[in-house]
Amino acid sequence: MRATDIIIKKRGIFVTNEKGQRVLQGSQPNTKEEIQFMIDGCTNGSIPDYQMSAWLMAIFFNGMTFEETGYLTSSMLYSGQVIDFHKNNENKDIIYVDKHSTGGVGDKLSLPLAAIVAACGLHDPMMSGRALGHTGGTLDKLESIKGFTTQLSKEKFIEVVNKYGYAMIGQTKDIAPADKILYALRDVTGTVESVPLITASILSKKIAEGSDGLVFDVKYGSGAFMKSKADAETLANFLVNTSKAMGKEASALITNMNTPLGKKIGNFLEIEESIECLQGKGPQDVMEVTYALAVQMLMMAKLAKNKEEALAKCKEAVASGKALEKFLENVQVQGGNKEELMSQLGKRRSPYKSQLFAQKDGYIFIDAYKTGIAGVTLGVGRNKTSDSVCPDAGMVLNAVSGDYLHKGDLIMDIYGKDQECLEGALNQLSQAVTYSDKEPEKDLLIFKAI
């Protein structure tokens, strides 16, 4: 095989139409063997970056079938280590299920969710990511807990999941190495938004972690990667159908990310709010989406016969305290001190503080994207992977979208990594808040299930 021929096949050829215009057409699907050839060459260095970039651009313009996307995902998946929870497990009936979110602002759902489903008997091998751009990262939130480690060996990861119900780790260098190479190329060649490439990137990592089933939280809106419901639905369909083509159970919820989730945004602040959720005191929006995802996971793991039974189990796990106990158990198992953590709740804040007050009377709306960008300024997130984050930076909302405020009312407390960042963040957050004389219509949190 030659990389050039594979690129041309996906790219198509120029033909002259009846108007005398030269147009590109005739793109054909790449075969399993051709895709494997490209990924092998990418991983071992025999195919140069410029040819991989040309192939990625051809995929960007012409797309991929579900079958092609499955081949690409499989090739990327097996470019590295794949975890098998069933291999040395005597209980062959266990169904391992994980959840993946496409990211947002104030999206701490993985934290209470994993503890709730584990308290219901589910096994969740959760491999998460870090903050990048305006979106938060589960690993950064967890590492704001003193001593908590997200770097477990493969053997330790399997042991913790099987013994305690869940573990939360980051991607290792041995998991889907082809994805790291391709993502770096996509980032600098303008091909990030390709749905098949997004799908293969997500699934190669999630399937490598050893899950039998996957539940996706695909977000749309200003604070999401997919801005429209239609784009989010396209991605959700690709994720679900490609997962099924690879022999995995899969479902997706399309959820709203036009405004931040919850009332606390920041790394330790979101740990704090997650604990509040597990104490039965969580914000309504966070709990609604968390329970909806948990229901999907329990049904997929055959731990509930229907939605009603699954929801009842989840609510009982919270009400009984078992879910909080499971969360604190995980903190201890992964190196944190649960007593110290609980003693810090409500007290641990950056000393660099400001406040945002309402500029006029009216119903407010807080834009998720602009809030997330302010979070980066404060030190909650990062612009590039080498940036560090501040565990104690963030925002505590005194009011949320849809609330009616009078001029001068407190909207939020703001905490920064240093004094200098506060002025810029305050200006950004002022622009994130808009006012209306009319009460806004309540937008659905969960748009659709697939």
Side-chain angles (χ1 to χ4, degrees):
M1 292 184 189
R2 294 195 319 148
T4 304
D5 298 328
I6 295 170
I7 294 165
I8 291 171
K9 183 178 180 182
K10 173 52 67 178
R11 183 205 70 187
I13 59 172
F14 277 108
V15 297
T16 303
N17 63 18
E18 63 273 8
K19 295 181 181 179
Q21 300 169 322
R22 280 173 56 78
V23 294
L24 194 61
Q25 62 180 229
S27 170
Q28 299 176 51
N30 288 137
T31 65
K32 179 180 180 179
E33 292 74 22
E34 288 167 344
I35 291 170
Q36 187 68 59
F37 177 80
M38 295 298 285
I39 296 303
D40 287 346
C42 157
T43 308
N44 64 31
S46 63
I47 297 178
D49 286 354
Y50 56 81
Q51 286 189 311
M52 290 305 300
S53 298
W55 187 55
L56 293 174
M57 188 62 75
I59 292 170
F60 180 86
F61 282 116
N62 293 312
M64 280 183 143
T65 64
F66 288 134
E67 190 175 41
E68 279 182 290
T69 308
Y71 294 150
L72 177 61
T73 304
S74 182
S75 296
M76 290 166 64
L77 165 67
Y78 290 107
S79 68
Q81 190 179 78
V82 178
I83 296 171
D84 184 358
F85 281 96
H86 295 283
K87 187 175 181 181
N88 297 312
N89 194 336
E90 293 179 4
N91 188 350
K92 303 300 181 184
D93 296 328
I94 293 177
I95 300 173
Y96 297 85
V97 180
D98 189 19
K99 160 259 183 189
H100 176 81
S101 170
T102 55
V105 180
D107 178 13
K108 73 278 296 171
L109 302 183
S110 291
L111 301 168
L113 175 64
I116 290 170
V117 295
C120 294
L122 187 140
H123 290 72
D124 181 358
M126 189 168 279
M127 188 178 291
S128 302
R130 298 193 178 278
L132 187 61
H134 73 280
T135 61
T138 300
L139 298 183
D140 297 306
K141 295 165 192 174
L142 289 167
E143 289 174 358
S144 72
I145 302 171
K146 185 179 177 181
F148 194 104
T149 178
T150 58
Q151 299 301 309
L152 302 180
S153 67
K154 173 185 172 182
E155 293 73 24
K156 186 66 175 177
F157 181 47
I158 293 172
E159 177 192 334
V160 173
V161 172
N162 282 332
K163 186 173 181 179
Y164 299 101
Y166 79 101
M168 307 185 89
I169 66 167
Q171 183 183 359
T172 70
K173 61 182 176 60
D174 298 317
I175 296 290
D179 175 62
K180 294 181 182 179
I181 299 169
L182 289 190
Y183 191 87
L185 290 176
R186 287 165 58 210
D187 194 34
V188 295
T189 57
T191 55
V192 170
E193 295 88 348
S194 166
V195 168
L197 295 178
I198 294 170
T199 300
S201 179
I202 292 171
L203 291 184
S204 61
K205 294 188 288 284
K206 299 309 284 187
I207 295 174
E209 74 184 13
S211 295
D212 300 307
L214 294 165
V215 175
F216 299 100
D217 179 7
V218 182
K219 298 187 181 298
Y220 73 90
S222 75
F225 186 70
M226 312 307 280
K227 301 303 179 187
S228 71
K229 292 175 182 175
D231 286 344
E233 189 167 349
T234 297
L235 177 56
N237 274 306
F238 253 85
L239 287 167
V240 170
N241 284 305
T242 305
S243 297
K244 289 182 175 179
M246 298 186 70
K248 303 293 181 181
E249 288 284 322
S251 66
L253 297 181
I254 299 174
T255 64
N256 191 326
M257 186 35 72
N258 279 307
T259 195
L261 272 170
K263 294 186 175 183
K264 295 183 178 179
I265 302 161
N267 293 308
F268 184 76
L269 286 170
E270 293 189 45
I271 292 290
E272 192 172 273
E273 189 164 78
S274 297
I275 292 173
E276 291 166 1
C277 290
L278 297 171
Q279 291 172 329
K281 302 183 294 186
Q284 182 273 330
D285 58 346
V286 175
M287 295 311 300
E288 181 179 338
V289 184
T290 298
Y291 279 139
L293 291 165
V295 164
Q296 295 282 322
M297 294 175 75
L298 290 189
M299 291 175 62
M300 193 173 288
K302 306 293 190 289
L303 294 173
K305 296 174 184 176
N306 51 50
K307 292 181 180 179
E308 292 74 22
E309 182 186 348
L311 182 58
K313 284 189 173 186
C314 292
K315 289 187 174 181
E316 171 58 23
V318 172
S320 66
K322 289 180 180 177
L324 177 59
E325 184 181 325
K326 185 60 70 174
F327 179 84
L328 295 175
E329 178 183 70
N330 173 257
V331 168
Q332 200 77 20
V333 168
Q334 293 198 222
N337 184 313
K338 62 183 180 182
E339 288 80 16
E340 182 180 2
L341 169 61
M342 294 302 286
S343 72
Q344 294 176 332
L345 301 181
K347 303 172 186 175
R348 185 174 153 186
R349 303 287 187 269
S350 167
Y352 307 106
K353 181 184 177 183
S354 186
Q355 293 179 307
L356 178 67
F357 298 94
Q359 298 171 5
K360 59 174 78 172
D361 294 354
Y363 293 97
I364 66 164
F365 179 80
I366 303 174
D367 180 81
Y369 176 73
K370 293 177 180 177
T371 303
I373 291 297
V376 176
T377 301
L378 291 168
V380 173
R382 48 172 68 85
N383 284 310
K384 54 184 184 294
T385 53
S386 58
D387 291 346
S388 60
V389 297
C390 176
D392 299 331
M395 296 147 269
V396 178
L397 277 57
N398 192 59
V400 296
S401 293
D403 287 349
Y404 186 87
L405 299 183
H406 295 285
K407 183 177 180 180
D409 285 349
L410 177 65
I411 298 176
M412 66 179 79
D413 293 315
I414 305 163
Y415 301 92
K417 60 187 176 182
D418 51 39
Q419 189 64 40
E420 290 72 28
C421 73
L422 291 174
E423 184 178 350
L426 189 60
N427 181 56
Q428 290 168 323
L429 288 166
S430 296
Q431 296 178 39
V433 181
T434 54
Y435 304 82
S436 174
D437 294 332
K438 295 181 179 179
E439 185 174 3
E441 289 186 17
K442 201 78 171 175
D443 204 358
L444 290 174
L445 268 172
I446 302 172
F447 167 61
K448 192 172 188 178
I450 293 177

